[in-house]
Amino acid sequence: MIDKNNKNAETVFTDGVSQSALAKNLGVSRAQVRTLIDKGVFEIDEAKRVSLSAAVEAYKEYQKTIDQNKRNKGRKAATKLIEDIKSSIDVGDDFESTYKNWLSQIENNPIAVLNAAKAYMTAVQTKQEKLKLDELEGRLYSIDRINADAEKIGLAIKSKFSSLPARIATVCEGRTARDIEEIISDEINNCFAELQKLFIK
């Protein structure tokens, strides 16, 4: 408060305290008090003292503004991150419920949602990196590779067995049923043996 009783007197706060005393009262450093004076949050009188009551209220409002700014930044960052996770990361089947839960909490607790989304993304990326490493080191095969190998095997089997009738027809001519059965069985076994050499190292 300012003493206005004496118009000729210098401007002096009736509850003025030193900057050091204010810092101690607010639980901050003297440097921070100086910064807040420079920002215009605190006013000083002619004696370079600060009104304790005005400073306490101003500091509360300042902290509210800082907290709101943090919440706004956290909300913006959390919203962007969870949308990035949803659109660009190969998430599990349970993600939809996690996503809805984040959206329901983002207004009231954006920082917690942001931290949870960061942890989730790190876990997913770590899992994906492990899968890539397992694939490179031969402990895991991608579905594309499995499909390609299956197609290759299918074509090889088709090629081997489609030529079988023509190859054994002349050999079977004039043979007994038992002989023909043995000839066909031997040829089939030969085909499997040749295929095994192609695909089993």
Side-chain angles (χ1 to χ4, degrees):
M1 298 180 63
I2 300 174
D3 183 359
K4 297 181 178 179
N5 293 329
N6 187 348
K7 295 183 179 180
N8 295 321
E10 295 178 333
T11 302
V12 177
F13 293 123
T14 56
D15 62 343
V17 294
S18 68
Q19 295 175 29
S20 296
L22 178 61
K24 185 175 181 179
N25 188 280
L26 296 177
V28 299
S29 67
R30 190 179 185 285
Q32 188 171 356
V33 168
R34 182 72 251 173
T35 298
L36 293 176
I37 290 172
D38 293 341
K39 287 183 176 181
V41 177
F42 301 149
E43 293 182 10
I44 57 175
D45 61 14
E46 297 295 336
K48 299 191 181 301
R49 294 167 72 82
V50 184
S51 167
L52 180 59
S53 59
V56 168
E57 289 304 312
Y59 188 68
K60 286 180 182 177
E61 290 302 314
Y62 175 76
Q63 285 296 105
K64 285 181 183 178
T65 301
I66 294 297
D67 290 344
Q68 188 59 47
N69 288 341
K70 285 181 180 178
R71 287 172 63 83
N72 290 340
K73 287 180 180 178
R75 186 179 299 108
K76 184 177 180 181
T79 300
K80 183 179 186 306
L81 181 57
I82 63 178
E83 291 302 328
D84 286 347
I85 291 173
K86 186 176 182 182
S87 63
S88 64
I89 295 180
D90 185 15
V91 295
D93 295 335
D94 63 333
F95 178 73
E96 193 61 32
S97 61
T98 301
Y99 175 76
K100 289 178 180 177
N101 184 48
W102 285 344
L103 289 182
S104 69
Q105 295 182 27
I106 201 166
E107 284 299 321
N108 294 328
N109 206 343
I111 303 301
V113 172
L114 178 60
N115 291 335
K118 285 179 179 178
Y120 186 95
M121 183 176 69
T122 299
V124 171
Q125 290 176 334
T126 299
K127 182 179 178 181
Q128 290 176 341
E129 288 302 317
K130 184 180 184 304
L131 291 175
K132 288 179 183 177
L133 181 61
D134 287 345
E135 184 178 348
L136 286 173
E137 295 182 352
R139 294 189 297 271
L140 182 73
Y141 296 99
S142 69
I143 191 67
D144 291 338
R145 179 175 174 181
I146 292 171
N147 288 337
D149 286 348
E151 184 178 1
K152 185 179 177 182
I153 292 170
L155 290 173
I157 292 172
K158 181 180 179 181
S159 174
K160 282 287 181 186
F161 284 92
S162 61
S163 64
L164 190 60
R167 196 164 64 246
I168 65 173
T170 55
V171 180
C172 291
E173 190 174 352
R175 302 291 184 98
T176 65
R178 185 173 181 82
D179 289 340
I180 292 173
E181 183 180 344
E182 288 182 2
I183 291 169
I184 292 173
S185 179
D186 288 343
E187 286 296 326
I188 289 173
N189 287 334
N190 288 337
C191 286
F192 281 128
E194 291 176 14
L195 288 168
Q196 190 175 37
K197 289 177 184 178
L198 290 176
F199 298 105
I200 300 178
K201 305 297 183 182

